[in-house]
Structures are given as C-alpha cells and as structure tokens.
Amino acid sequence: MSILRGVLFNLYLFWITLFMGLGTVPIRLMKNQDLALSYAKLWARAILAGFTRICSVRIEVTGRENLPSGPLLIASQHQSFFDGFIWMTLVDRPDYIIKSELTRIPVVGPMLLLTGMIAIDRKAGSKALRNMMRDSKAAHADDRQIIIFPEGTRTLPGERHPIQPGIVALARQTDVPIVPVATDSGLFWDRNAWFKRPGTLHVVIGHPLPPQQERKAFTQALESAWDELCTTHTLPRDPVDNSVDPENA
C-alpha cells in the first residue's frame, strides 16, 4: 500500500506541477516577487493537500506560538522534500536557503529565483558564504522569515549530521530570533520517491535560542534544543530502520 500511495501521489505531483506551472508564465513576465511568492504558497498548499489525502498522512504542527511576527531564522531538521513545502504554509514571507542546483529545474527554478529564495553554490566556498550572509541580511530587512537546514542535507529519521558553518555565520550576523525545529517527516515521505507511509507527521517548533557568538556554543545549543524537542514529543533522535513498511511488517 505504501508503494501504491507513492505512485498515486507522484502522478498527482506531476500533474499539479504541470498545471500550475503554466500559470507561472504571466507571473514571470510581470516579474512581480510578491505575486510569485503568493502563487508559490498556493502551489505548496496544493501539493501538501494531495500528500495528506492520497497518502493518509495527518500533519501535526506544535509550537506555533514560538514563531514571533517579523523576520526570523528558522533552523529546521531536514529529512524529506516535505520540509521544502511546509514552511510555505506556516509563515507569511518564507525565504528558503537552497542549493543552486534547484534553480536549474525547468519551470520550478525560475520561480524559486523570482520569489527571492537564497540560492547557494556549494562549490564556491567562502564566496558562497559571503553571498548567503549578504542575501540573508537583505531578506531580513525585507521582513522575511529565512528557513535554513543547518545539517546541509537530508538525513534519515534520527540520523545526526554535523551542523554546517553557514548557520553559525548567520547566527553571528543577525539579531532576529533563531527558532529550532524538529520533525519526523522522513518516516512518511521517504527518500525513496515511491514510498509514502500513513500516520501522523510531526513538526515541532521550539523556543528561540539564546544569542551565541561562539561556534561550538551555538552548535551545542541547537543540538540540545533538537534533543529536547525530540525527547519531549517522542520523535526519532537515533537512527531508525525506515526500510520496513509498517503495513506489511
């Protein structure tokens, strides 16, 4: 059943992206960032609506009260493509830090650029870090909420990956709230595109972190916040065998 759900959802994802992709043409011609962002948020809602209904997943978001209004830096765990959609529905002016490869995807890539997402060329070294800090500062000045995945890549549920220097540099630069987020999205939207599992998917938003300038102190504070959120809400914080379909176990 998980494979069947995955196949049906992938078909839905293909057709909704093709259909809504046509609507991006006039928006791209107008070069209107606010309109592009509103359309992208609608697109994300349509994808998540299909995901929840086709795959029998309920999304439970805890801790919304920990998201103050105005500019933010959201430091989220990243296990699934789901994480790339959910923040489009949770904050007013989301601005993801993304890898530049995504901007080369037909239809999607130009919209990512038009909406103002911060694209990082991971091969550019220190130049990429400087560009990210510059663009992030401008985004916060524009009252946007930046979403960064501090581990720099998707991880398996419960898997720990070193926190990358980008989040530390942003933490030193900014005076906006830095909000830790834990999730178990990888249990339901697998790295394997053909597997989607039913159940309740959790997104848990923690209290803003205290200001930290030193790298080790900041990474420890973020890791501790994730540990606490996972323990309190019974989310994986140790590697999980996600290869077994619970429906067929």
Side-chain angles (χ1 to χ4, degrees):
M1 286 297 291
S2 292
I3 294 179
L4 177 59
R5 288 188 177 97
V7 170
L8 292 175
F9 175 70
N10 286 346
L11 288 171
Y12 171 82
L13 182 61
F14 173 80
W15 286 110
I16 196 68
T17 299
L18 181 63
F19 173 75
M20 296 198 71
L22 296 175
T24 69
V25 175
I27 296 173
R28 288 161 56 189
L29 291 174
M30 288 185 284
K31 298 182 179 179
N32 186 315
Q33 186 181 89
D34 288 338
L35 180 58
L37 185 59
S38 295
Y39 193 79
K41 288 164 71 73
L42 178 63
W43 195 340
R45 289 191 181 95
I47 289 171
L48 292 179
F51 173 58
T52 57
R53 293 170 185 171
I54 295 170
C55 303
S56 299
V57 173
R58 186 170 73 91
I59 301 171
E60 183 175 289
V61 180
T62 305
R64 289 175 186 259
E65 67 277 6
N66 295 325
L67 292 174
S69 60
L72 297 172
L73 180 59
I74 297 167
S76 177
Q77 293 178 338
H78 184 28
Q79 300 174 5
S80 166
F81 283 125
F82 167 88
D83 310 313
F85 296 111
I86 187 61
W87 290 100
M88 298 296 286
T89 72
L90 295 181
V91 295
D92 292 333
R93 291 177 55 76
D95 198 348
Y96 284 84
I97 294 179
I98 61 174
K99 57 185 180 181
S100 60
E101 293 90 331
L102 295 177
T103 65
R104 295 193 283 271
I105 300 174
V107 180
V108 174
M111 281 294 286
L112 290 173
L113 292 173
L114 183 55
T115 57
M117 302 302 161
I118 301 172
I120 302 300
D121 181 359
R122 294 184 291 185
K123 298 179 181 178
S126 60
K127 181 181 178 181
L129 185 61
R130 290 194 301 270
N131 290 343
M132 181 183 69
M133 294 176 70
R134 178 201 63 207
D135 294 344
S136 297
K137 188 174 182 179
H140 280 149
D142 194 31
D143 208 33
R144 297 191 66 163
Q145 298 83 41
I146 293 176
I147 299 95
I148 185 171
F149 302 122
E151 294 164 304
T153 187
R154 282 180 294 161
T155 63
L156 296 172
E159 181 183 17
R160 296 172 186 258
H161 196 275
I163 291 175
Q164 301 301 299
I167 179 67
V168 181
L170 292 182
R172 287 174 175 170
Q173 169 182 271
T174 188
D175 58 357
V176 307
I178 303 171
V179 181
V181 176
T183 184
D184 58 2
S185 60
L187 295 177
F188 306 93
W189 189 324
D190 199 287
R191 279 183 178 180
N192 184 329
W194 300 106
F195 280 90
K196 302 293 184 295
R197 297 174 177 83
T200 301
L201 186 159
H202 301 87
V203 177
V204 184
I205 304 164
H207 296 286
L209 297 173
Q212 298 282 356
Q213 291 295 316
E214 200 274 323
R215 175 175 180 174
K216 184 176 180 180
F218 176 80
T219 57
Q220 287 179 341
L222 179 55
E223 290 277 10
S224 295
W226 282 344
D227 287 342
E228 182 178 354
L229 291 173
C230 289
T231 299
T232 302
H233 297 274
T234 323
L235 307 185
R237 198 59 177 135
D238 293 301
V240 173
D241 183 2
N242 205 23
S243 63
V244 177
D245 187 343
E247 295 181 349
N248 297 324

